[in-house]
Amino acid sequence: MKTDSLQHQIDKLVKRASFSLRPDLMNLLIKAYRSEPVSRAKKALGWIIDNARIAEKENIPICQDTGFPVIFIELGKDIKISADDAKRIEKYLVTSYENNFLRASTLDPITRGAPSYKGLSMHFEFNPALKGVKLTFLLKGFGSENKSQLKMFNPTAKLEEIEEFVLSSVKSAGPEACPPFVVGLGIGGTSNDCLLLAKKALLMPLDKSNPDKTLFKIERSLFKKINSLGIGPMGFGGMHTVLAVRVKKEPTHIAGLPVGVNISCHALRYASIKIFKL
């Protein structure tokens, strides 16, 4: 693929994630609006839906926090990638942010100098069943990212303890993280692995059941318990504190049980494309 073609594809990815909500999420918001019995919570859901529709129509950001770019690059078995390719991807992301007038939000964590467009989180995976390359862009605002939680449980911990940890994390997030949420839960691996799993859980389809029956049961249980908290849309109470819960797991050490929680606000900004080569 020529350089200008890759740049065009990445620009499309950034625009789609920044200006429009994924269809499965929008459908959940509309469903929540139609079933919400608390008037002020229903109004908040209406504002959220109207905001998303205006953003898509006018090609403007859904939120003033244009987020920290997180990109997942899934490579098929015949794909080769170099350090130069990674630099190109970062360069085109920066260019797209600049050209689309998205707010510069990244800076040095120590000096806290002037914000810039540089800085992203990039993750590579290999998938022998994939033909070409799959680029997935998650635009993570920090109102919700700041509410991430990690706990290293004893390996003897029961599922009820994990669920209580998730509920505590959601309570702590409260209205500050702009509910209704999508909650990602990662279980297993190491401390950093489970947090990445939690973030990747947010990318799962929201309109399909988890193929893992055990994880599906955990999702349904947490969905009911979180919505019983009464935080509601934008903290106005009501039935809808969370729109969906998604869980991913991977093997861990016999002596540990890492659990990570990653919360997205109602604007889960995500887009994915497939291309044949970098």
Side-chain angles (χ1 to χ4, degrees):
M1 179 170 284
K2 295 181 180 179
T3 299
D4 59 345
S5 181
L6 178 60
Q7 184 172 1
H8 176 68
Q9 294 287 354
I10 289 177
D11 189 56
K12 285 174 58 179
L13 197 65
V14 172
K15 287 178 179 177
R16 197 180 340 145
S18 300
F19 303 154
S20 60
L21 292 183
R22 42 195 276 193
D24 56 356
L25 178 61
M26 191 62 165
N27 289 337
L28 288 179
L29 283 167
I30 294 171
K31 182 180 178 181
Y33 173 80
R34 290 173 177 169
S35 62
E36 179 57 60
V38 177
S39 60
R40 60 181 184 176
K42 191 179 186 74
K43 284 182 180 179
L45 285 166
W47 298 331
I48 289 169
I49 293 168
D50 287 345
N51 176 77
R53 286 172 171 164
I54 292 169
E56 183 170 19
K57 181 180 179 181
E58 302 293 336
N59 288 324
I60 55 177
I62 294 170
C63 177
Q64 54 83 25
D65 181 351
T66 54
F68 189 89
V70 182
I71 189 162
F72 296 93
I73 304 172
E74 196 173 346
L75 303 164
K77 64 179 180 179
D78 297 325
I79 298 297
K80 296 179 180 180
I81 191 167
S82 67
D84 287 340
D85 291 323
K87 289 180 180 178
R88 285 167 59 213
I89 291 170
E90 181 172 8
K91 175 184 175 183
Y92 297 151
L93 277 171
V94 170
T95 299
S96 182
Y97 261 65
E98 290 175 335
N99 290 345
N100 289 292
F101 306 102
L102 302 179
R103 191 184 77 183
S105 301
T106 57
L107 45 67
D108 185 287
I110 305 301
T111 63
R112 312 298 293 188
S116 72
Y117 289 100
K118 293 185 177 180
L120 76 161
S121 179
M122 189 179 294
H123 306 274
F124 296 92
E125 295 182 12
F126 299 93
N127 181 355
L130 178 69
K131 291 184 179 180
V133 182
K134 183 178 179 181
L135 299 176
T136 300
F137 181 57
L138 176 64
L139 200 162
K140 200 67 173 66
F142 262 60
S144 58
E145 183 68 12
N146 282 337
K147 305 303 181 180
S148 301
Q149 298 281 350
L150 165 69
K151 187 165 183 176
M152 305 299 288
F153 282 90
N154 289 326
T156 54
K158 298 184 182 302
L159 180 58
E160 291 79 7
E161 295 176 70
I162 294 176
E163 289 194 352
E164 185 54 42
F165 168 60
V166 178
L167 289 172
S168 176
S169 300
V170 174
K171 289 178 186 176
S172 177
E176 296 176 8
C178 298
F181 305 126
V182 176
V183 175
L185 178 63
I187 305 174
T190 62
S191 57
N192 57 299
D193 292 329
C194 71
L195 285 170
L196 183 59
L197 278 175
K199 198 172 257 88
K200 290 172 68 175
L202 298 176
L203 309 179
M204 297 172 68
L206 303 180
D207 54 0
K208 297 179 181 178
S209 299
N210 195 318
D212 185 305
K213 292 182 179 180
T214 300
L215 298 185
F216 174 71
K217 289 180 180 179
I218 295 173
E219 291 173 353
R220 295 308 302 168
S221 176
L222 283 170
F223 180 81
K224 292 178 182 178
K225 290 178 179 178
I226 293 172
N227 277 329
S228 70
L229 294 175
I231 298 171
M234 306 307 289
F236 289 150
M239 292 174 52
H240 299 92
T241 297
V242 68
L243 296 169
V245 179
R246 287 295 178 265
V247 186
K248 293 185 77 70
K249 68 175 182 178
E250 65 180 33
T252 191
H253 193 274
I254 56 173
L257 180 54
V259 177
V261 177
N262 192 256
I263 294 173
S264 173
C265 67
H266 59 80
L268 174 52
R269 291 164 293 176
Y270 149 97
S272 183
I273 56 170
K274 290 181 180 179
I275 56 179
F276 289 105
K277 61 181 179 179
L278 295 169

